[in-house]
Amino acid sequence: MTCENYNCKDANSVEREQERTLCVKDLSHVNYDPAKSSHNVILEHDNKADEYKTFRAYVTAYKEQEHIGGRFNIDTTSDRNATKVLSCFVMGASHDLIASMTREEQIEYFKAGLDFLKEEYPTFHVVDSRIHFDEKGLPHCHTSMLPIHEKEDGSKSFNVTQHQKGKDYFKGFQDRFYEHMKERCPDKNLERTDPEKEHRKKMSVREYKENQDFKKEIEQERQRLLAKNEKLKDIQKQLDKAYEKAEQSHQHNLKIEEYCREQGITFMQYEKQCFYASKGYGEYPEPEKNNPDREIKKEIEPERNNPEIRR
């Protein structure tokens, strides 16, 4: 059983997503299948919440109707100074335990968890408690409650810290939850998982979504770099071919320079020899025969036999 407390600004989207009433245009950002949401089971729900468009309006009206006083700061943008007006609990189980139960047994199992929360927080008000069967993972139960604290004189206020005091509170919370479920499900041989482990603060829904978005951005950047790397490889291949061709041309030019020195001719005279050879008036001089950039014609053009051109 995990717990996260929210201020009014975040509570609206959290509650709407739990109830599957949140308007989502891009379904790639949600981890459930809307087509399967009808399979979810509502254990408890405050119908008055449906009368208001936002959670802010609902919690404000509830405060007035129930004459709740005390600190009620829901307009601040500072999370530290904002009043926590919603406590959300998520109850799950191991894969083996879930697989060993029928759907009806799973529902009864989560009902027992809701009963535990009511015993643990008798003054809290249940806004919604439902089992999600529409997500990719295992079935689990979400329970959202208004954290109402009642003093001995009967006065009420929103105050979650009075019920979750001390750094070791949640360790004891898990111990009590385990004892409760073991008593309610005696035939399941329930086990307490790592009771001595460090109970560090879990990510909030907002932090989780930001983390998922960051992972998505990293993956998109990775794919972009991979595509860019493939383009660079193609460019490198083209450069290698161009370098090889340039090297061949360089070696050929060195041979031409050596040939010109041996024959005692200039480069212009050499080009003239090549020109006449290409017209069929003679053989290509060395090293032009081995020029990789020139295609030597094997067939002599008809003009080669023209006596007028030869004269």
Side-chain angles (χ1 to χ4, degrees):
M1 181 87 75
T2 62
C3 173
E4 187 72 30
N5 300 303
Y6 295 97
N7 58 34
C8 191
K9 183 179 68 174
D10 298 329
N12 186 71
S13 58
V14 171
E15 183 63 24
R16 296 310 180 205
E17 184 173 8
Q18 176 178 318
E19 297 176 6
R20 299 299 191 241
T21 57
L22 184 66
C23 295
V24 180
K25 294 182 180 180
D26 186 3
L27 294 177
S28 64
H29 290 287
V30 299
N31 61 344
Y32 63 91
D33 184 356
K36 297 180 180 179
S37 295
S38 58
H39 299 166
N40 296 342
V41 176
I42 301 174
L43 301 181
E44 192 167 329
H45 180 73
D46 185 0
N47 294 325
K48 290 184 179 180
D50 301 333
E51 300 174 5
Y52 302 92
K53 292 184 178 180
T54 63
F55 182 82
R56 175 187 294 270
Y58 163 70
V59 72
T60 302
Y62 185 88
K63 177 181 180 295
E64 295 175 355
Q65 293 167 6
E66 298 297 323
H67 307 289
I68 299 175
R71 183 174 177 275
F72 189 66
N73 190 357
I74 63 172
D75 297 318
T76 181
T77 56
S78 172
D79 184 69
R80 167 175 280 185
N81 297 325
T83 303
K84 302 297 183 182
V85 294
L86 189 69
S87 294
C88 293
F89 301 87
V90 182
M91 177 185 173
S94 67
H95 180 274
D96 292 340
L97 179 59
I98 291 293
S100 68
M101 295 188 289
T102 64
R103 178 182 171 88
E104 289 71 22
E105 289 177 328
Q106 292 171 3
I107 294 173
E108 292 301 317
Y109 174 80
F110 291 121
K111 280 183 178 180
L114 175 58
D115 292 339
F116 165 76
L117 288 176
K118 288 183 176 181
E119 294 176 8
E120 183 77 8
Y121 303 105
T123 60
F124 281 26
H125 175 69
V126 178
V127 180
D128 184 86
S129 181
R130 69 183 61 206
I131 308 169
H132 283 169
F133 287 99
D134 58 352
E135 296 187 20
K136 296 178 181 179
L138 298 172
H140 54 275
C141 181
H142 290 262
T143 301
S144 57
M145 310 173 81
L146 300 182
I148 309 299
H149 174 64
E150 186 173 349
K151 296 182 179 179
E152 294 181 358
D153 60 3
S155 61
K156 299 178 182 179
S157 64
F158 285 90
N159 194 331
V160 70
T161 57
Q162 291 295 325
H163 297 268
Q164 298 176 356
K165 290 182 179 180
K167 64 178 183 179
D168 294 328
Y169 166 77
F170 278 105
K171 183 176 183 297
F173 174 89
Q174 299 294 346
D175 291 336
R176 294 188 294 275
F177 172 58
Y178 167 66
E179 294 297 332
H180 173 87
M181 297 304 295
K182 188 170 65 171
E183 182 180 348
R184 290 286 297 268
C185 306
D187 59 325
K188 295 303 179 181
N189 297 321
L190 302 183
E191 295 181 2
R192 172 82 164 90
T193 305
D194 298 332
E196 300 302 326
K197 74 175 181 179
E198 181 184 358
H199 289 265
R200 291 172 292 183
K201 182 181 181 297
K202 295 183 178 294
M203 287 191 296
S204 65
V205 173
R206 174 189 289 181
E207 291 171 336
Y208 174 78
K209 289 183 177 180
E210 289 177 350
N211 185 54
Q212 294 299 106
D213 291 341
F214 182 63
K215 287 182 179 179
K216 187 175 181 180
E217 291 176 4
I218 291 177
E219 178 61 23
Q220 290 175 345
E221 182 66 13
R222 189 181 75 87
Q223 294 297 334
R224 186 187 71 81
L225 292 175
L226 286 175
K228 189 173 182 179
N229 187 50
E230 291 300 320
K231 290 183 180 179
L232 290 175
K233 287 182 179 179
D234 292 338
I235 294 174
Q236 185 62 47
K237 289 179 180 179
Q238 295 175 11
L239 289 174
D240 291 341
K241 290 181 180 179
Y243 176 79
E244 182 180 355
K245 188 174 181 180
E247 182 64 22
Q248 291 175 349
S249 297
H250 175 67
Q251 295 298 327
H252 176 68
N253 290 335
L254 292 177
K255 291 180 180 179
I256 291 176
E257 291 179 1
E258 183 180 358
Y259 174 80
C260 290
R261 283 195 303 269
E262 292 175 353
Q263 298 296 321
I265 62 176
T266 65
F267 183 74
M268 294 294 293
Q269 290 174 323
Y270 172 80
E271 284 192 325
K272 188 175 181 180
Q273 290 181 14
C274 292
F275 172 77
Y276 280 107
S278 67
K279 293 295 184 180
Y281 305 150
E283 294 295 330
Y284 278 97
E286 294 289 351
E288 188 63 22
K289 287 182 179 180
N290 301 321
N291 188 347
D293 296 330
R294 178 184 293 275
E295 181 181 0
I296 300 177
K297 297 181 181 180
K298 294 183 179 180
E299 295 183 1
I300 300 176
E301 297 178 358
E303 287 80 2
R304 293 178 59 181
N305 299 322
N306 190 330
E308 293 294 329
I309 295 178
R310 262 189 283 185
R311 283 202 299 273

